[in-house]
Amino acid sequence: MCDYIKNNKSSQVYWLKENLNALNVKITIKSQRNIALLPSFEHYVNLLEGENIPNTINNEAQEFTFKWQEKVFSQHDYQKYSNIHNCITELDTKLYEMIANNDKTPQKVFTYIHEEFVLPLPVVDVSLSEGLLNINSCMQKVKLNDKLETVGGKTISRQNLFKSNDTLSNEEDCWVAMHIFYDNSEYDEEVNTIYREECLLLSLFYHPGYNYLMVSPDINILDSYVVEASSRMLDLEYLVDIDFGLTCCGDDLVEFLAQLYKKLEEKKKAIINFAKPSLGIRKCYVFFEIATAQHFDMDNIYIEYNIKIPDNIQCKSDLTGRTHVSRSLSDEDIQVWTYGHNIDLELDVNTGIDQPHIKIYFEAISQDRWGRQRTEGYSYLTLLLQPGYYTDHLSCSRPEELNEIDAESRRFFVGGCNLIHDMEVIEKPQLYATNFRFVSTGAIKVTWTTMIQSHFPGSPSTETLYPGVSLLQGADDVLKQYKRAKATLDAATRSISESDSD
Amino acid sequence: MAELHILGYLNQTNNFRETHSLYCRYSVQAGPNWNLISGLSEGQTSSGKPNCNKCVVWSHPLDLHYVTKGIQGWPKLILQVNCLDSLGRTWIVAYGCSSLPAVPGYHTIQVPCWLPAATKLSDRIRQYFLGGSHQLLQSDIVSLGTDRFKLNTLSQGIVELNVCIILRNFSQFGVEYK
C-alpha cells in the first residue's frame, strides 16, 4: 500500500460494471520538469565548434498500456526466462513459452502477474460468526496470541499455527493481484545485469467475491506521482489512468447528464424569476412593529393605529387595527407594556412622487376592570418611505381643558377624555381652535424596516425625472393650509358677531 | 437569485417575572417565496436560571441561509419562552415576534414578549400556587396580529437577539435596502 503522508498517494476502490478483461491501464512516465538534463562536461568538450548542443532535455512522456494480467518483461527477466535452462518451476516454463511464442520485447515499465506472488496480498479482517458449532470460532479461541502478546509482544508467527487448510486456501484465493514496476536496473553492453532495482508504480488487487478492484495509488491524471526507488526518489514522475471499458454505457450516461442539466436549468430559471413591480411603479415594503409603551397612568392598555396613505400611493393591507390589551410589567420603577405587534405594508408608489411618505396615528387606550375605556394619549408618525432600519420613541399627549383644576376634577369624578375626531389636530394643532391644551402622558416605541423595489435596478431618483411635481405639490399644501386657516377665522368671527347681535 | 444570511445568536432574556429556569423555542417563518438552503429554521435553547438581574443568558447560535424570489414574506422570528421548574414541569411563559431587519450589518433586536392573562380569579389562584399558564391554540396570532385585539395579556420581559444580516444580489433585482 502507499503512504499518503510521505508520497501523497492514496488508494481507491472501484466497483466494476464491465468485465475485467476490458480493463486498460495506462502509465505515462516522464522526467520531472524541474530537472534540467544538460549534457555532461566531457560530452560538451568533445563537441565540434559551431555544433549545437543536442537537445538532451528529454521531457517527452512515454505511455505504456497494459491489459489485466498481461505479462510484460523487464530486461532482466527477459534474459532469465529466454533460456530454458534457467526455468525450474512450472511458472518459469510458462513464462519461457510466453517469450518464445509471442515474440515479446523487454520494456522499462513491466508487470508482475498474480501467479508470480511478488508482493503480499491485502489483509481483510473478516469477522466470523461465533458459535459453539462453528469450527472457525473454536480455532479463534484456541489462539494463544492474545495471551502471549502480554508477555513478549505480538507473535505473528504463532498466529497461524492453528489455521486449517481451508482457511489458508480461502485467503489465497481471495485476491487476484497485478503489479506494474519501473525497471531502474543497470546493464552492461552485453545486457548482463550490473545492478538490479525495480520501482513499484501501481498495484491492482481484484476481489472476485465482491467484484471490486483496489487501485493503489489511485488514478491521477492531474498531479503526477514521483517514482520511488528503495532508498531515494528518482527524477521521474508518472501518471495513472485506467479505462474501465464503460464505452457501451456512455450514451446512457450522456442522456442522464443531459436530463439532469435540463432539470437544473429549469430550477435555476424558476428561482431567478424574481417578483418585480410593473413599469412606472415602485414597490415599497414596510415591516412595522409596535414594540412597547411606557409611562402611562393607567394599566391594561392597548394601542389603536390608523394609517393614512396619500392618494397617489396604493395599499392593499389593512390600514387600521389595534394591539392586544396588555397589563404592565415593572422594570426599575418604570411601567412597561409589551406588544410586539407587527404590521406589514406593501405599497405601490408611482415613480414620479417626490419624498413619498405615509402617516400613522396612534391612540393609547386604557381599559378598567369593568371594560370601560379611556384614551390615555395620542401620537403620530410621519414615515418617510426611505430604505433603512429605524427605531423611534413617540411621545403621546392628550387634550385637556385649559383650566387645570377643571381638568383634574373632571378626570377624577367623571372620567373619560376629550376625544379628537380629526387626527390632523395632533399633527398641526396651531391651525385649529385651541380651547384646550395638550398634556404629555407616555411614549410608544416603534421599529420599522423599509425596502423599495424598482422594476429596473438602479432607477434614477424621482427628482431628476419630474422636477415640477414637487413644486406643484408644495403649492397644493399651501392652498390647503390657507383654506383651513380661513375656515377657522370665519368660525371665530361668526361667534363674535352672534354675541354682538345678542 | 437573491440570498439572505442570518448569522447571530439568541442572547438573553431581561426582566422576566419567572424565577424558574427558562428556555426558548424559536422558529423563523418566511413567506412562500423564500427557500431555506442551509441551517435550521426551528430550534430550542438550553435552559438557564435567572441571575440576580433577572437575566438568563442563552447565547444560542443562529445560522440561516435563505434564497428568495421576492421580498414578500420577509423572515420573522417567533419566540416561545418556556419555564422549567424544579419538579421537571414545563409551561409557556411568553410569546414574542419580531421582523428581522432588512438592512445589512450587525443589529441588536429586543423582542417584547407577552402571555395571555388569566381571566378568571380561580385561574389566577391556580397559576399562583400550582404554576401553569394559558396557551394560544392558534399560534398564527403571534406573527399576524390581526386577531390579537381579543386578547388580554400580561407583559413579560424582553428577549435580546444579536444578528448579522448579509444580503446578496438584492440590488440586481432593483431592491434598495439602505
Side-chain angles (χ1 to χ4, degrees), chain A residues 12-112:
Chain A
Q12 187 59 273
V13 177
Y14 295 94
W15 269 261
L16 298 173
K17 289 183 180 175
E18 291 297 311
N19 193 349
L20 204 60
N21 294 325
L23 193 79
N24 267 315
V25 182
K26 191 169 84 176
I27 300 285
T28 308
I29 197 158
K30 59 183 179 181
S31 301
Q32 281 186 315
R33 283 180 190 173
N34 55 348
I35 307 294
L37 300 176
L38 293 171
S40 61
F41 181 72
E42 293 80 11
H43 186 215
Y44 178 73
V45 169
N46 292 334
L47 287 173
L48 296 171
E49 196 176 336
E51 192 180 345
N52 289 330
I53 298 170
N55 185 16
T56 52
I57 303 170
N58 185 16
N59 262 338
E60 284 182 12
Q62 287 181 293
E63 284 185 5
F64 301 91
T65 310
F66 306 97
K67 287 197 167 297
W68 177 246
Q69 296 297 325
E70 182 192 357
K71 177 63 187 171
V72 176
F73 293 93
S74 65
Q75 188 68 49
H76 173 266
D77 288 352
Y78 190 81
Q79 290 296 325
K80 182 183 173 186
Y81 296 118
S82 300
N83 190 351
I84 188 67
H85 300 294
N86 293 334
C87 302
I88 301 160
T89 62
E90 280 183 23
L91 179 67
D92 294 347
T93 317
K94 188 183 168 186
L95 294 174
Y96 167 75
E97 285 170 1
M98 283 171 76
I99 292 171
N101 296 336
N102 296 336
D103 196 19
K104 288 191 178 256
T105 52
Q107 283 186 11
K108 286 294 273 182
V109 178
F110 63 99
T111 63
Y112 283 116

Side-chain angles (χ1 to χ4, degrees), chain B residues 2 17 19 24 31 34 48 93-94 101 112 127 130 132 149 153-154 169 178:
Chain B
R17 299 167 198 261
T19 51
C24 180
W34 295 74
V93 293
Q127 283 181 15
L130 300 175
F149 64 90
T153 66
L154 202 62
N169 294 339
K178 199 171 183 181

Side-chain angles (χ1 to χ4, degrees), chain B residues 132-147:
Chain B
S133 65
H134 279 51
Q135 295 183 15
L136 294 175
L137 289 175
Q138 295 174 345
S139 55
D140 307 349
I141 292 173
V142 181
S143 58
L144 294 176
T146 47
D147 289 334

